[in-house]
Amino acid sequence: MKKNLLIAGSLSALMLAVTGCPAKKCEGKKAETQAVLCQQKNIFIPKDIYAVEGEECNIYFKNIFLAVNHSNFIFDVNCKAGKQESKRWTFVPGKSDAGKSYKLTLKVYNCQEKLVAEDFTTVHVVAANAAEGKSVNILMVGDSLTNATYYPARLHELCGRSNAPKLHMIGSHSGSGRKVTANGVAHEGYGGWRWTTFLSKYNPKPDPKARYAYAASSKFLFPKADNSGVEFSLKKYLDKYSQGKTPDVITFQLGVNDVFNSNAENLEKNIAAILANADKLIAAFRKEAPNALIGVGFVTAGADQDAFGHNYKCNQTAWGYYRNSFRLNQAMAKHFANYPDKKVVMIPGNTNLDCENNFPAKVSAVNARNEKVTYLKQNNGVHPAPAGYRQMGDTYYAWLKNMLVR
C-alpha cells in the first residue's frame, strides 16, 4: 500500500483545515472570499436523510465536514426537528413526525466566527408501520463491511418486527462463507473486493479446502456456452441461490477498497475510474433486473490514527483515508444526482456512524514504561464495532422503509 503524504502545495489547505484560518494572513475581501470557498469544498451532506418513527437518526459533524481538528470550528444546525449536540445532530421522531419532511441547514464558522461552509439536507420521516407486511426480496452486495454481516443482520432483525416489511434476503452465504438458513440472513459480501471484482474475479477450479474458498470467484460469473470465457448472469445466479426469484431491491456498499490507497496526486483520477466501474456493475445488474430499486451506499468514514497505525503500520494514515472517502462521497453524490436511471438511489450511510465511540477499541497502556496509565485505544481503521454496524443497519432500514412507501 502506498503511503498517503501531503504534497507541499497543499500546506495552505492543511493549515486552513487545522485552524479554520488561512496559513497566510488574509488581506482584504478577496483573500477572505478565497478562504471561504476553500472550506466550502470541505462540507458534504447527502441531499436526503431518512428516518423512522421511534428510531434514532444522526448526522455526525466529523463525517460531513473535512477538517483535521473539528474542535476549531463552530457548528450551527437549523432544523425544526431533533437537537444539536457537541458532535452531532440527533433525532428520534415521534408519532407526530411521521409523514413529514424537515429541512436541515448546517453552517460552519471558523475561529474568527466567520462563516466558512454551509450545506443543507431534507430529513424524511415515515411511520413505524410504513410498508408493514410488504414482501421484499433484497440482494445486498458489498465488501468486508457486508461480509461482517452485522448490518445485514440488523436490517433482518428490524424487518422481523410485526410492523415492518417481510424481508427475504438473497445470497450465497451468511458471512465468511457460512451456510444460509431458511428465511435467514444472506448476502454477497467479500473482504477486499471492489466494484470491478464482481465482474472480473473468476477461478474455474478453486480449492474447496482453502480458507477463503467461498470468495474464489464472483458468484455472478459463469462459463459461456461455447467455453470461450465467462459472462455475467444474474439469472443463473438467481436460479442457483434464489429459486429464480428476482430481487425487488439491490444494494451496493462498496468503495472502501477502491479508494483506500489513493493519495493527493492520483485521487481525482482514481475516483473517475471508481465511478466508471460502478456504472458497469450497476448496468450489469440492471440489464437483468429492470424493475429493481438499486441503492448505492456512501462510503463510511473510519477510526482514528491509533487504529490505522494498528492495522496498517506506516502505510496509511487516518487522515488519508478520511480525505479519500470524503472526496469519493462528494463525487458519488454529483455523479448519481443526474443519473439517467432514476431507480438508483443513494443510501446516506456516511452520516449515521459514530466513528469516535462505535469502532473497536481496547484498554491500552500509554507506553511500555507507564503501564499504570491507560486509555481506550481504537484498533480497527475501517471496520466498525457491532454498535457501529448496527447504526449502518438502522440507516438501511430507514432508507428501505422510506423507499417502499414512495
Side-chain angles (χ1 to χ4, degrees), residues 172 236 249 286 364 386:
S172 63
K236 290 181 180 179
V249 180
R286 175 59 79 210
S364 303

Side-chain angles (χ1 to χ4, degrees), residues 92-402:
V92 180
K95 194 174 185 64
S96 62
D97 297 305
K100 295 180 180 179
S101 293
Y102 297 100
K103 184 175 180 179
L104 182 149
T105 301
L106 173 64
K107 294 183 179 181
V108 184
Y109 298 86
N110 67 6
C111 57
Q112 297 174 329
E113 296 188 50
K114 299 291 186 180
L115 179 66
V116 296
E118 181 177 3
D119 204 355
F120 66 91
T121 186
T122 303
V123 182
H124 307 279
V125 185
V126 294
N129 64 350
E132 178 179 336
K134 187 169 184 176
S135 181
V136 179
N137 297 324
I138 187 169
L139 171 58
M140 307 183 78
V141 179
D143 49 35
S144 56
L145 299 181
T146 305
N147 183 51
T149 310
Y150 288 106
Y151 86 82
R154 174 60 174 166
L155 178 62
H156 185 270
E157 173 192 339
L158 290 167
C159 287
R161 296 174 176 176
S162 59
N163 62 357
K166 293 182 179 179
L167 201 66
H168 169 69
M169 305 188 85
I170 299 171
S172 63
H173 68 109
S174 61
S176 300
R178 293 187 295 272
K179 186 178 179 180
V180 176
T181 59
N183 300 315
V185 177
H187 56 72
E188 291 301 326
Y190 301 92
W193 283 33
R194 307 181 179 196
W195 282 98
T196 188
T197 314
F198 291 91
L199 293 170
S200 61
K201 188 171 185 178
Y202 184 74
N203 183 348
K205 296 181 180 180
D207 180 0
K209 296 182 181 180
R211 181 180 178 183
Y212 299 109
Y214 73 97
S217 295
S218 167
K219 300 298 189 296
F220 303 103
L221 297 179
F222 296 86
K224 292 183 178 179
D226 60 2
N227 293 318
S228 61
V230 296
E231 61 183 357
F232 183 97
S233 177
L234 179 60
K235 182 181 183 305
K236 290 181 180 179
Y237 168 87
L238 295 173
D239 287 343
K240 186 173 183 179
Y241 297 108
S242 184
Q243 296 80 49
K245 295 179 181 177
T246 303
D248 303 299
V249 180
I250 302 169
T251 66
F252 296 99
Q253 187 64 53
L254 293 162
V256 171
N257 302 297
D258 303 72
V259 81
F260 188 90
N261 284 323
S262 299
N263 56 50
E265 296 170 323
N266 63 22
L267 180 57
E268 186 175 345
K269 179 181 178 181
N270 288 351
I271 286 176
I274 292 167
L275 295 176
N277 289 329
D279 286 345
K280 291 176 184 177
L281 185 60
I282 290 171
F285 277 88
R286 175 59 79 210
K287 183 178 180 181
E288 297 183 79
N291 300 314
L293 170 67
I294 295 178
V296 180
F298 284 111
V299 181
T300 53
D304 64 18
Q305 186 55 46
D306 285 342
F308 274 78
H310 181 83
N311 291 148
Y312 310 111
K313 310 305 179 187
C314 297
N315 294 315
Q316 177 57 294
T317 63
W319 168 259
Y321 173 71
Y322 175 39
R323 177 202 58 208
N324 294 350
S325 59
F326 190 92
R327 296 299 183 211
L328 176 56
N329 282 338
Q330 288 179 308
M332 289 173 68
K334 183 177 179 180
H335 181 75
F336 288 106
N338 299 310
Y339 213 58
D341 188 339
K342 300 307 177 185
K343 296 195 75 174
V344 175
V345 183
M346 303 306 295
I347 304 171
N350 61 315
T351 61
N352 193 44
L353 178 60
D354 186 344
C355 295
E356 182 176 344
N357 299 298
N358 288 356
F359 269 70
K362 66 177 181 179
V363 175
S364 303
V366 292
N367 58 63
R369 296 297 172 261
N370 195 348
E371 296 181 355
K372 291 183 179 181
V373 179
T374 61
Y375 72 110
L376 196 60
K377 182 178 181 180
Q378 290 189 331
N379 59 11
N380 199 302
V382 299
H383 303 96
Y389 279 122
R390 287 173 71 84
Q391 285 183 312
M392 290 180 64
D394 292 344
T395 300
Y396 269 71
Y397 181 66
W399 173 83
L400 181 63
K401 295 263 278 189
N402 273 267

Side-chain angles (χ1 to χ4, degrees), residues 48-116:
D48 294 294
I49 302 292
Y50 306 101
V52 177
E53 174 193 344
E55 301 295 330
E56 185 181 78
C57 173
N58 303 295
I59 298 177
Y60 287 93
F61 302 143
K62 177 186 176 183
N63 300 4
I64 52 85
F65 183 69
L66 185 66
V68 175
N69 189 346
H70 290 78
S71 297
N72 288 325
F73 294 90
I74 303 163
F75 296 89
D76 184 13
V77 176
N78 185 359
C79 186
K80 292 182 179 180
K83 61 182 178 180
Q84 178 180 343
E85 297 181 350
S86 60
K87 297 181 180 180
R88 64 173 181 168
W89 168 84
T90 186
F91 177 37
V92 180
K95 194 174 185 64
S96 62
D97 297 305
K100 295 180 180 179
S101 293
Y102 297 100
K103 184 175 180 179
L104 182 149
T105 301
L106 173 64
K107 294 183 179 181
V108 184
Y109 298 86
N110 67 6
C111 57
Q112 297 174 329
E113 296 188 50
K114 299 291 186 180
L115 179 66
V116 296

